């Protein structure tokens, strides 16, 4: 059954493992993945816990549809209190680890305590062992996976591990699996490192029985055919997310040289066609027919002969526009190094771009810069700084603290130039012309983020009738520059993405980059056929609301306030200097932004400070939390 996977509680201090069942009541309220992570974190992490201390809980969770024939059911969630923001830590990765965890008999692993020396977990067909990892410490994120497969004598073992950045507790170290997949955001790799946990290896052969096998296979084949027949799937299968860059940069929606411009001219070598020189074909995660990642071997440069996968749109910005460089080879090289070290690509690119602007303005101490040449576009400096961040050397050690910690060390005069929300850097998008996207990054539960509530299709000028069909409300504008109606689009996407993350399916196959991908209506039918659980689409969207509200409660308990739902000051003071006439000269209007925030709170049933009202908590069944049911 898809509902009989269990929770393993691992205490690394005591060296103990306890296995429990998941109550059906929690399944119905949170499903799995990010939903159950929100519940487990709220119930097992006390307010004020040191994120890098032994009392923090690290939770690994497969989605409820992971490992089933559902389209792109590959995702795995990793959560803890974040060492980057001090608030909710939450990251999501694809690949094959999540499905394998389910085949091994588990949906969730809750890891607490701290081992005296490096260890790894071996999870196999209902059992969890804590094993010595002294011999793995110091290895990169690819070597570690290879060595564990050799050691365990099975090429099908899947591994989630950290690189040296996690060992050194860089506050934006990530957890990696496979060649490309990363639970990248909010520093979950640093939490693993703080627990002396190098890796989690999983292998399972336990079947997942479908509630209605014949009905499920018939409908899922129909759903896959529908997805694959779209123009969007064809584009993703050829270019991956690199295709986005050509449109957003041409329009003027890309932050460039940190935040000095919103468009990068002469950037042909960053466009998707530039990958033609390197690609050998496309690869995919478990259960995905879209195949959105390039496979390549670097033919020249620092990493000549090394195999890689990707890169994503986010890397075009992190190692392209944000640092003022226009070289696909440079993007691939930087991407290779952050992957080996286990670093969050977005955070690295943003912090280096910030350092370059500080250097330009004379705000970096000369003794900290040393012989680094921090001029825009210098990829040698970018590569060296990535290495220094991972090993915590010199300026790299300062940047390794993330936005809040680095500002504290460099002085308050540097804060204005750092593009972050809640202590987490934004990707390379420039939201000054797009109020809906600006509200999205300001209110995301884990900080500046494009994967928690972004109404990306707001950029497509869809007719109002189409917007009404998708969002269920009339009167939504097809103009991405207006403020009216946008809070509802953000709230709707927030609920859908939380649902998708709880199911463990890929956002690329939901309403994210295409308006025609599956949403709650299709997921309700898939859930019934695969698990036997009956939900209406409205009930599924309410689960999404419950998950984000519980995440909100976690942040409020850690001291977050309305002031944290804000944008960097530059969004309000510096008009966009470049781009098409439609986006040039734009900045966010403070009063209209505050009005959007009020409406966003109202739609949730929160008060003016962003606190859920007692009525809202009762409606969502959250008024008694923490309930500690498991």
């Amino acid at each position: 059954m898809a509902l009989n996977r269990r929770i393993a509680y691992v205490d690394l201090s005591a060296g103990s493992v306890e296995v429990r069942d998941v109550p059906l009541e929690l399944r119905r309220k949170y499903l799995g993945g990010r939903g159950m992570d929100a519940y487990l974190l709220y119930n097992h992490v006390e307010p004020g816990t040191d994120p890098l201390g032994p009392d923090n809980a690290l939770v690994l969770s497969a989605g409820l549809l992971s490992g089933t024939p559902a389209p792109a059911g590959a995702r795995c969630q990793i959560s803890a209190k974040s060492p980057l923001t001090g608030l909710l830590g939450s990251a999501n990765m694809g690949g094959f680890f999540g499905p394998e965890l389910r085949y091994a008999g588990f949906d969730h692993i809750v890891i607490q305590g701290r081992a005296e020396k490096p260890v790894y977990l071996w999870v196999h067909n209902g059992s969890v062992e804590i094993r010595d990892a002294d011999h793995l410490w110091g290895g990169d994120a690819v070597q570690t996976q290879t060595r564990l497969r050799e050691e365990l004598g099975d090429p099908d073992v899947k591994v989630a591990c950290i690189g040296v950045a996690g060992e050194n507790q860089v506050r934006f170290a990530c957890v990696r699996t496979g060649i490309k997949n990363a639970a990248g955001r909010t520093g979950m790799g640093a939490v693993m490192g703080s627990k002396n946990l190098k890796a989690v290896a999983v292998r399972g052969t336990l079947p997942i029985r479908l509630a209605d096998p014949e009905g499920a296979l018939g409908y899922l084949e129909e759903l896959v055919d529908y997805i694959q027949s779209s123009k969007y799937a064809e584009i993703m299968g050829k270019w991956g997310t690199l295709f986005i860059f050509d449109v957003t940069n041409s329009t003027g929606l890309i932050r460039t040289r940190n935040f000095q411009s919103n468009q990068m001219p002469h950037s042909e070598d960053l466009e998707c066609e530039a990958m033609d020189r390197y690609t050998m074909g496309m690869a995919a995660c478990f259960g995905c027919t879209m195949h959105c990642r390039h496979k390549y071997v670097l033919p020249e440069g620092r990493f000549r002969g090394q195999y890689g996968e990707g890169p994503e749109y986010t890397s075009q910005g992190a190692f392209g526009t944000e640092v003022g460089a226009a070289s696909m080879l440079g993007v691939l090289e930087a991407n290779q190094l952050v992957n080996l070290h286990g670093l969050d690509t977005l955070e690295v690119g943003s912090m280096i771009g910030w350092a370059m602007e500080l250097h330009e303005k004379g705000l970096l101490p000369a003794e900290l810069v040393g012989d680094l040449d921090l001029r825009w576009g210098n990829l040698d400096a970018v590569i060296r700084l990535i290495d220094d961040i991972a090993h915590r050397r010199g300026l790299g050690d300062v940047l390794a603290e993330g936005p809040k910690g680095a500002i504290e060390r460099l002085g308050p005069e540097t804060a204005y130039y750092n593009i972050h929300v809640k202590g987490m850097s934004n990707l390379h998008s420039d939201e000054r012309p797009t109020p809906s996207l600006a509200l999205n990054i300001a209110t995301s539960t884990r900080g500046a983020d494009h994967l928690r509530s972004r109404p990306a299709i707001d950029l497509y000028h869809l007719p109002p009738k189409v917007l009404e069909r998708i969002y269920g409300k009339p009167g939504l504008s097809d103009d991405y520059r207006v403020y009216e109606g946008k809070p509802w689009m953000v709230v709707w996407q927030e609920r859908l993405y939380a649902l998708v993350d709880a199911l463990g399916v890929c956002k690329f196959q939901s309403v994210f980059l295409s308006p025609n991908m599956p949403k709650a209506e299709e997921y309700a039918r898939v859930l019934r056929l695969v698990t036997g659980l009956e939900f209406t689409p409205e009930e599924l969207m309410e689960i999404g609301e419950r998950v984000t509200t519980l995440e909100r409660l976690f942040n409020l308990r850690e001291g977050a306030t309305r002031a944290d739902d804000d944008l960097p000051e530059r969004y309000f003071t510096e008009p966009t200097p470049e781009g098409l006439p439609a986006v040039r000269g734009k900045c966010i209007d403070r009063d209209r932004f505050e009005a959007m925030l009020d409406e966003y709170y109202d739609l949730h049933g929160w008060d003016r400070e962003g606190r859920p009202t007692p009525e809202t908590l009762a409606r969502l069944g959250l008024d008694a939390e923490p309930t500690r049911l498991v």
Side-chain angles (χ1 to χ4, degrees), residues 290-532:
M290 202 173 276
H291 293 70
C292 71
R293 60 183 58 179
H294 290 278
K295 300 184 290 185
Y296 58 86
V297 174
L298 285 160
E300 56 185 310
R302 301 171 182 86
F303 303 102
R304 181 180 179 183
Q306 291 193 19
Y307 174 75
E309 294 178 1
E312 296 286 350
Y313 170 65
T314 48
S315 294
Q316 289 167 292
F319 307 122
T321 63
E322 286 182 68
V323 297
S327 163
M328 185 59 79
L329 178 62
V331 168
L332 297 180
E333 289 184 323
N335 211 47
Q336 196 77 0
L337 193 54
V338 295
N339 286 348
L340 293 172
H341 285 331
L343 285 163
D344 175 6
T345 304
L346 278 72
E347 206 67 48
V348 170
S350 191
M351 293 301 288
I352 294 176
W354 176 58
M356 286 179 160
E357 185 167 8
L358 293 184
H359 178 64
E360 184 180 63
K361 290 180 163 47
L363 293 173
L364 275 186
E367 62 273 19
L368 204 53
V369 177
D371 62 353
L372 265 172
D373 179 358
L374 287 176
R375 285 177 296 179
W376 296 113
N378 185 358
L379 285 167
D380 289 334
V382 172
I383 294 291
R384 182 171 153 190
L385 265 177
I386 292 172
D387 213 37
D388 286 348
I389 289 170
H391 292 91
R392 282 188 169 275
R393 294 187 294 244
L395 176 60
D397 182 47
V398 176
L399 301 182
E401 288 298 300
K404 287 182 176 177
I407 290 168
E408 192 173 330
R409 290 178 64 173
L410 294 175
E413 67 277 14
T414 66
Y416 177 78
Y417 300 100
N418 195 296
I419 306 302
H420 77 93
V421 175
K422 300 182 177 72
M424 189 169 88
S425 296
N426 195 24
L427 79 163
H428 59 289
S429 61
D430 189 329
E431 292 82 4
R432 283 175 287 184
T434 55
S436 64
L437 275 55
L439 182 66
N440 138 231
I441 65 167
T443 55
S444 164
T445 52
R446 65 177 180 179
D449 189 75
H450 60 295
L451 295 172
R452 289 300 173 99
S453 58
R454 172 154 292 198
I457 60 174
D458 192 24
L459 300 177
Y460 296 177
H461 295 292
L462 296 173
K465 282 294 182 188
V466 175
L467 293 174
E468 180 178 347
R469 176 174 58 79
I470 296 170
Y471 290 108
K473 285 204 174 183
L476 297 174
S477 172
D478 63 350
D479 187 340
Y480 57 69
R481 297 168 301 176
V482 308
Y483 290 72
E484 292 74 18
K486 304 304 181 183
W488 171 248
M489 295 170 72
V490 172
V491 168
W492 188 92
Q493 296 282 179
E494 184 180 85
R495 293 172 184 173
L496 179 69
Y497 294 163
L499 167 63
V500 165
D501 288 340
L503 294 175
V505 297
C506 180
K507 286 189 181 70
F508 291 159
Q509 298 194 21
S510 67
V511 180
F512 174 30
L513 298 177
S514 166
N516 299 314
M517 288 294 107
K519 45 189 183 300
E521 286 75 6
E522 288 81 6
Y523 295 133
R525 187 171 173 187
V526 175
L527 266 174
R528 176 173 57 79
L529 295 169
V530 171
T531 69

Side-chain angles (χ1 to χ4, degrees), residues 35-54:
M36 279 296 296
D37 270 24
Y39 178 84
L40 291 167
L41 273 193
Y42 197 75
N43 278 269
H44 292 288
V45 177
E46 294 296 325
T49 294
D50 177 1
L52 297 177

Side-chain angles (χ1 to χ4, degrees), residues 212-284:
D212 179 352
E214 187 174 345
L217 293 178
Y219 179 59
L220 293 172
E221 182 180 11
E222 180 185 321
L223 199 54
V224 168
D225 287 346
Y226 169 75
I227 292 168
Q228 277 305 106
S229 66
S230 67
K231 186 69 177 175
Y232 163 68
E234 181 184 334
I235 293 170
M236 287 288 278
K238 182 173 176 57
W239 301 116
T241 55
L242 298 181
F243 83 90
I244 305 170
F245 180 85
D246 298 23
V247 179
T248 51
N249 190 47
S250 298
T251 305
L253 299 173
I254 296 271
R255 68 182 174 103
T256 301
R257 298 190 307 279
N258 194 27
F259 199 72
Q260 296 185 353
S261 181
N262 56 312
Q263 188 177 56
M264 186 167 183
H266 311 299
S267 57
E268 292 79 7
D269 200 30
L270 284 177
E271 295 178 355
C272 57
E273 291 84 357
M275 268 306 290
D276 283 344
R277 298 200 302 274
Y278 307 101
T279 189
M280 298 161 37
M282 305 299 280

